[in-house]
Amino acid sequence: MKKLKSVMALASLAILASVLFTACPKDSGTSTPIVGPTKVEKIIPVDDLELDKSKIVGSYAYWTYSLNDFIDKEITIDFSCDMKVVNSGTAGKQNLQWQINDGSTYPVVVAREYLPEEADFIHLEGKNETPYKVKSGDVFYLSTYQLDTDNLTISVKNINLKISYGGDGKEQEEKPAKVYPTDIFTVGEANSCGITLRDAKEAFTIHYDGSAASSIKTENDGSVTWIATAAGGGGGGVAFYVKSDKKEINLGNYESIDLELVYSPVTGAWDPSAQVPGFCLRILPWDSTGMFGGYVDLQYFDAKDEYGTLTINIPVTQAKIDELVTSSGVDSVLGFAIKFNDYQRGNKDGDQLKVQLKNVKFNAKEGAPADQPFDDGLTDAERGTVEEIYYPTRDYTVAAENLTDADKYNKHAWVYLPAGYNAEDKNTKYPLFILLHGFGQNENTWGLSNKGRGGKIKGYMDKGMKEGKVEKFILVCATGVADKSWGPNGGGNSMGGFNAFGGELRNDLLPYIRKNYNVADGRDNVALAGLSMGGGQTFNIGMGECLDLISNFAGFSGALFAGADDFTAGVEAKFDKELKIHNLYMICGDADDLVYGSFPGYVEAMAKWDRVENFESYVFKGGTHDFPVWYYGFNDFIQMVFKEGVQLYN
């Protein structure tokens, strides 16, 4: 087992079952000018709101307040409460924060206060200084943050929440939005723009399926314009093939890439407090499905001004070539993408940036050989296939006696079948692997597809199975949200749906796959894994609820929902000791500020747990809460799952 490079205190990341309160303000109207203030004030005493070990069921302890009645209004929140911490053990990092959760990974922090050890009730208060425009589904919540002990009780009372919108009592005009120029997006001579490879220029070829932008248009001069939209750090952009015939080049043959683009925020759709626009050049390897599927970030770069023309030379370093080869096996590049970087740059979700890509030039190294056709060493017969399925299920957040027809539906998922799979051959059966996504994601997140080459994880499976490093199995990428918000292409932000997935897994998904595919019998032939929230589901639901059905598990940067000792105690209390965990794997980046705090303690506990027969863990050096870590972990896990005692890091 690979040793942890550093040891951090065990973090008890917990969600207290939320208590939802809803205000019912009257709409003051949206006409100009706004006359007078419209305030809503509600004082909610909560005398017994406590977090202790018996109530840990999620990532943080929190209390929520719905903002749905303020949709499209700019609100100001004044908040106060009294709070104390008792039995805090090694307290010191505990703190309280109040935030607006807009469904993104990084909510808007209104204020944060550190809590003292072993204190009487202390008064805490805060206010958002900049009015916040409410969108559907937004909530305000009070939460604990970075708890560093599992021996902790937090009590909260006298919650005072004031929400204001409108004027300050005086008639005031709305400030006009800043006007950004549109005449900078010029169109030159025909065929004057495009991509240049080894001094040969051709028109851009857009990878539409791999793009995430609106208003994509090829202009008469060959340039391409589009609108990219901020989305919680995942700002969109456009993907391009490097060659019009969609064949690959070898990144190792090039020393740098020149970009020329024009950019400007969209008038009325840009937060004036945001930083100047930022971008990222992403390299899309042969197994990529687009700008959000299997990429390698070559370089992030910022503009100097709010709008204008940007030209930049981006070096292709050996480190990036090595990263590409490590990720995809070879240095074959299918394309590239220009992404709008809205990560922690002051943008609000919905901010829009118009971009016009004029020219891209790949500068070959002196004496570089010709680019070679892609070859991963596999024939078509040695590659697996991908199917789409729709399996019958229902909304598991609705009690069975209250179900209506609207609560029942057919749910989409992706199924990978290994090379040689024959539906008619009932004598040859395969293990089953269910793969889950994270918060704000869905069944498409892992990039498995029946288009192109099928995505990065398909490449890992095809090659691993061909080389004999991976046992052949059936893989299902499903949406781990068991309510009506599942999709297709759902938002993946229903906590109730995430928590209820065990019912769907047990009663619907597993039976459907067993009925319709040649799946081997027994729990040792079933695996469950997931990233982030899906990693939390792997522990909480897979081991915590379905250990009688599944014996192989992996958490990729898992959102671990309880202290490790509490978690194992819960499993021991529910399941017979004979139900062993055959294989367990965990990975996390050491620069992952979201979940790494709980990782070392869990690794230590899982390594000692006598229910686990074979355990492996890996610390991804410099890894954040992102796909390079998760792809690495997936490739690790498939080389040990459904086998006996495989140790990847002796």
Side-chain angles (χ1 to χ4, degrees), residues 416-491:
Y416 168 88
L417 301 173
Y421 179 88
N422 181 357
E424 303 302 320
D425 181 7
K426 303 300 182 183
N427 294 321
T428 303
K429 297 190 175 184
Y430 300 86
L432 173 63
F433 182 171
I434 307 292
L435 184 61
L436 301 176
H437 55 86
F439 187 82
Q441 301 171 346
N442 54 46
E443 75 273 22
N444 305 316
T445 295
W446 279 98
L448 188 66
S449 172
N450 54 6
K451 296 181 180 180
R453 294 199 173 96
K456 183 173 289 294
I457 63 172
K458 182 177 183 297
Y460 288 149
M461 292 184 289
D462 287 345
K463 194 169 183 64
M465 291 176 187
K466 166 62 169 58
E467 295 175 347
K469 296 179 180 178
V470 175
E471 293 292 319
K472 287 189 174 183
F473 57 78
I474 296 170
L475 178 81
V476 178
C477 285
T479 296
V481 176
D483 66 21
K484 290 184 287 293
S485 72
W486 73 269
N489 303 313

Side-chain angles (χ1 to χ4, degrees), residues 151-355:
N151 184 23
L152 183 68
T153 299
I154 296 177
S155 301
V156 186
K157 68 179 182 179
N158 299 328
I159 296 177
N160 186 350
L161 179 65
K162 299 179 183 179
I163 301 177
S164 305
Y165 66 94
D168 59 0
K170 299 178 181 179
E171 185 174 297
Q172 44 183 283
E173 297 286 342
E174 292 182 343
K175 293 182 179 180
K178 182 173 182 178
V179 177
Y180 293 98
T182 58
D183 57 359
I184 61 176
F185 299 99
T186 59
V187 177
E189 296 181 3
N191 304 318
S192 59
C193 299
I195 181 170
T196 301
L197 290 166
R198 299 177 184 261
D199 299 323
K201 191 169 188 176
E202 63 180 28
F204 290 119
T205 302
I206 300 170
H207 185 354
Y208 284 99
D209 288 338
S211 298
S214 59
S215 304
I216 303 174
K217 180 183 178 182
T218 299
E219 305 292 350
N220 291 334
D221 62 356
S223 64
V224 178
T225 58
W226 67 86
I227 303 293
T229 303
V238 174
F240 299 86
Y241 294 97
V242 288
K243 300 179 72 174
S244 59
D245 61 8
K246 301 181 182 179
K247 292 183 178 179
E248 289 81 7
I249 64 172
N250 302 107
L251 188 63
N253 289 339
Y254 297 86
E255 63 181 10
S256 66
I257 301 172
D258 292 319
L259 297 181
E260 178 190 0
L261 57 85
V262 181
Y263 65 94
S264 177
V266 175
T267 298
W270 189 262
D271 189 328
S273 64
Q275 299 178 42
V276 296
F279 302 89
C280 178
L281 174 61
R282 285 185 164 165
I283 294 299
L284 308 181
W286 67 270
D287 52 6
S288 171
T289 54
M291 66 177 302
F292 289 113
Y295 57 84
V296 170
D297 286 336
L298 194 61
Q299 183 171 311
Y300 283 85
F301 54 96
D302 301 334
K304 294 182 179 179
D305 303 302
E306 279 189 288
Y307 56 84
T309 298
L310 188 155
T311 59
I312 186 172
N313 175 267
I314 298 175
V316 178
T317 65
Q318 187 60 47
K320 287 297 179 182
I321 296 170
D322 293 343
E323 181 181 343
L324 177 63
V325 173
T326 299
S327 176
S328 297
V330 293
D331 70 343
S332 296
V333 172
L334 178 70
F336 64 93
I338 307 296
K339 177 188 176 293
F340 164 35
N341 179 25
D342 63 325
Y343 177 68
Q344 294 187 342
R345 296 185 61 81
N347 290 107
K348 291 182 179 178
D349 286 358
D351 279 3
Q352 294 185 334
L353 183 72
K354 183 172 182 178
V355 181

Side-chain angles (χ1 to χ4, degrees), residues 31-171:
S31 60
T32 303
I34 300 172
V35 180
T38 303
K39 290 189 176 182
V40 176
E41 178 178 335
K42 191 175 182 67
I43 300 176
I44 306 168
V46 183
D47 294 327
D48 298 311
L49 180 60
E50 294 184 350
L51 166 69
D52 59 30
K53 290 193 295 184
S54 66
K55 297 181 181 179
I56 293 174
V57 293
S59 294
Y60 295 91
Y62 74 99
W63 169 90
T64 65
Y65 187 97
S66 170
L67 299 175
N68 279 345
D69 291 299
F70 300 91
I71 293 172
D72 293 331
K73 297 177 176 63
E74 290 194 344
I75 65 171
T76 300
I77 293 179
D78 292 88
F79 180 85
S80 65
C81 70
D82 295 311
M83 194 169 196
K84 74 174 178 179
V85 180
V86 296
N87 299 324
S88 56
T90 58
K93 289 186 179 180
Q94 290 85 358
N95 59 59
L96 169 76
Q97 61 187 5
W98 32 101
Q99 305 175 334
I100 298 170
N101 186 346
D102 57 5
S104 65
T105 305
Y106 301 95
V108 178
V109 177
V110 175
R112 181 178 292 165
E113 297 284 349
Y114 284 91
L115 304 177
E117 300 179 32
E118 298 284 353
D120 291 331
F121 279 99
I122 59 172
H123 186 70
L124 303 169
E125 60 184 38
K127 177 178 180 178
N128 61 311
E129 299 298 332
T130 302
Y132 179 84
K133 189 170 184 178
V134 178
K135 302 182 300 299
S136 176
D138 289 356
V139 298
F140 174 78
Y141 68 93
L142 159 70
S143 73
T144 55
Y145 181 75
Q146 287 186 340
L147 307 181
D148 66 0
T149 175
D150 61 356
N151 184 23
L152 183 68
T153 299
I154 296 177
S155 301
V156 186
K157 68 179 182 179
N158 299 328
I159 296 177
N160 186 350
L161 179 65
K162 299 179 183 179
I163 301 177
S164 305
Y165 66 94
D168 59 0
K170 299 178 181 179
E171 185 174 297

Side-chain angles (χ1 to χ4, degrees), residues 433 505 523 526-530 535 537-539 541-556 580-586 612 614-616 637 640-641:
F433 182 171
L505 178 65
R523 55 186 294 274
V526 183
L528 180 70
Q537 288 178 297
T538 297
F539 277 71
I541 292 173
M543 294 184 228
E545 298 178 16
C546 301
L547 195 60
D548 56 325
L549 302 176
I550 309 168
S551 76
N552 301 277
F553 304 93
F556 312 128
K580 298 293 185 180
I581 294 169
H582 187 50
N583 284 300
L584 174 59
Y585 173 90
M586 297 177 67
V612 179
N614 187 45
F615 177 68
E616 277 285 14
F637 184 54
M640 65 181 286
V641 70

